[in-house]
Amino acid sequence: MDIDEIERQKRYQERQKELSARFDREDIQQENADLEAVLSTAAGRRIFASIFGRGYVFGSVFKNCQNDPTKLAYETGRREFAADIYRKANMLQPELTLKAINERNQLFQKRKREFDELKTEFDNEGKGY
């Protein structure tokens, strides 16, 4: 390789780095805009809250692993992925992220009340009321 060819390769590699950096910036900007758009809908918040819940972002992965190291690795990876999504959402759209969590909590509270009502109904049935 002569000097001109080496210089041309260096310029080419520099341009590749510049393009890659620009593409990364564009991807992040688009992802941030998409995140805001998704979290601004009820359906989007439900999906995000489901990801946070299934990834045990606010819980422990150990209870589901039953001393199985492979399952622990899987659950830990799932949790890390969900936690990364949560961190990004919470950084960019904290109000909408909190809204997603609150909506999910309200749904679970409603469902718990229904279970409690069912238990009360069956408990009372056994007492001859």
Side-chain angles (χ1 to χ4, degrees):
M1 242 194 259
D2 65 0
I3 301 272
D4 288 339
E5 181 63 22
I6 293 171
E7 189 59 37
R8 193 175 71 73
Q9 282 293 329
K10 281 181 162 179
R11 285 193 332 259
Y12 175 69
Q13 289 172 349
E14 280 300 313
R15 287 298 313 273
Q16 277 185 318
K17 287 180 189 177
E18 291 169 7
L19 276 176
S20 290
R22 189 186 92 206
F23 294 157
D24 287 345
R25 285 190 308 274
E26 289 172 354
D27 288 348
I28 289 169
Q29 288 172 342
Q30 185 63 59
E31 186 177 279
N32 294 348
D34 292 346
L35 182 62
E36 180 178 2
V38 168
L39 283 173
S40 69
T41 69
R45 289 189 300 277
R46 285 191 300 269
I47 290 292
F48 269 77
S50 175
I51 290 169
F52 305 154
R54 290 180 184 186
Y56 305 103
V57 170
F58 304 111
S60 172
V61 298
F62 297 105
K63 66 180 178 179
N64 297 323
C65 296
Q66 302 161 345
N67 295 323
D68 180 345
T70 302
K71 191 161 186 171
L72 177 60
Y74 172 80
E75 294 293 344
T76 301
R78 187 160 89 168
R79 183 177 194 282
E80 284 301 309
F81 179 73
D84 284 345
I85 292 172
Y86 171 75
R87 278 190 291 276
K88 182 161 188 138
N90 199 41
M91 240 176 38
L92 296 172
Q93 295 295 324
E95 298 86 12
L96 292 174
T97 303
L98 181 59
K99 187 174 183 177
I101 293 165
N102 285 335
E103 289 170 349
R104 180 109 169 151
N105 288 343
Q106 289 169 358
L107 174 65
F108 286 168
Q109 288 170 358
K110 178 183 176 284
R111 289 177 177 174
K112 184 187 180 310
R113 282 192 302 272
E114 289 184 44
F115 273 116
D116 291 346
E117 290 169 6
L118 178 67
K119 183 179 183 326
T120 300
E121 178 185 326
F122 274 80
D123 286 349
N124 289 338
E125 184 180 291
K127 294 178 181 176
Y129 291 115

